[in-house]
Amino acid sequence: MQEYKVESFNLDHTKVVAPYIRVADRKEWQGVTVTKFDIRFTQPNKEFLDPAAIHSLEHLLAEELRHQVDNIIDLSPMGCRTGFYLTVFGKHDPEWAEHTLRKALEEALLSREIPAKNETQCGNAALHNLEGARKAIKEFIAHSRTKLLDPFGNGS
Ligand SMILES: [Zn+2]
């Protein structure tokens, strides 16, 4: 494969076993460390989150993660709709991300409404699916910590 600047373009997507959490990138700049996680909900090229469900999950998670910790820079859905990138301040490991994400997802599951689901606060307020988001959350958190921390499915 040709070598790219984007870390995930160099990842062999046929070798990963979703769901999983892994460090996609870590950068240090002027003494500040930033960690970017690859949070994969569905198996690449096999299964995809529904566009409305991933959008609702983004809203829920973007808010809940910030209730858990104060070092979130960004949470973005992947264009392929198989998961999210989570970027945070600090040198964090997947164990930290799993713990933080699980708590945020458990809280999101208690939510009966999608935050900022309106035309003032969202760019596509009609494209939402709370039930789809809840289903994706339940499927993700049903997996053990050991499983989620094993992106290539060699362990456990
Ligand atoms: Zn939105």
Side-chain angles (χ1 to χ4, degrees), residues 43-59:
Q43 187 61 30
N45 298 295
K46 302 275 187 235
E47 233 193 301
F48 315 97
L49 291 168
D50 163 75
I54 194 171
H55 185 200
S56 297
L57 188 48
E58 178 204 1
H59 275 233

Side-chain angles (χ1 to χ4, degrees), residues 55 58-59 116 121-124 128:
H55 185 200
E58 178 204 1
H59 275 233
Q121 295 170 294
C122 172
N124 195 348
H128 278 286

